[in-house]
Structure formats: structure tokens, C-alpha cells
Amino acid sequence: MAKDHGPHIKNDEQYEKLRDQGLSKEKAARIANDPNSGKKGGKAEKYEERTKDELYQKAKEVGIVGRSDMSKEELINALRNH
């Protein structure tokens, strides 16, 4: 049984598995709190196929600092490594 991590973590079991895999607390929480995580999909548009503005909006959504000064390639890299 997974430990209760409080109201800020919606899926404690998934959070613990992700932390055991070495993900940061922030990234594990973001994935565990996504209602679509764990579902098969892979239907999202590839970052390279998105516009710079779409990438900027996604970076804003996940809280990437310095996004306004980033090129499209830098936004892609920041989103993949955040």
C-alpha cells in the first residue's frame, strides 16, 4: 500500500513508482497528478510539429523559467528535460 503524500499528490502509488525510478519530486508529482497518465495514447503531436507559440504555451503551463527568451529548439529541449 502506498504512503499518503497528502492532497497535492492524486496518485500516491504512481508517484512512489516514479520516484523509485529516479524522477524528481516535481516531475513525479506532475505525472501522478495528470488524469491521463498511465493511459495508452501516444497521440500527442510531436514537439517538432508544433509551432513556437504552442511550445511556449506548454512551457508556460508547466512552469519553465526563461521561456520567453528561448528559441523553438530550446523550448523543445526544456520541455523534454523538465
Side-chain angles (χ1 to χ4, degrees):
M1 180 168 206
K3 175 185 169 188
D4 182 5
H5 295 279
H8 61 283
I9 302 294
K10 293 183 177 34
N11 186 334
D12 292 304
E13 186 176 336
Q14 185 180 33
Y15 175 80
E16 287 183 11
K17 286 179 183 177
L18 293 166
R19 289 290 291 143
D20 289 343
Q21 292 174 11
L23 272 65
S24 70
K25 290 180 182 180
E26 180 183 359
K27 189 164 191 172
R30 192 169 53 253
I31 293 169
N33 289 336
D34 183 346
N36 294 319
S37 71
K39 295 180 183 176
K40 294 217 176 214
K43 297 179 174 103
E45 190 177 5
K46 294 180 181 177
Y47 284 144
E48 289 79 9
E49 295 172 0
R50 298 183 191 187
T51 66
K52 183 178 176 185
D53 187 54
E54 290 171 324
L55 295 168
Y56 175 85
Q57 292 304 321
K58 182 66 176 173
K60 183 177 180 181
E61 180 183 315
V62 299
I64 294 175
V65 179
R67 62 189 172 269
S68 60
D69 295 325
M70 293 182 183
S71 67
K72 181 176 178 177
E73 291 75 25
E74 290 170 324
L75 286 166
I76 291 170
N77 187 46
L79 286 165
R80 286 194 172 135
N81 294 301
H82 182 66

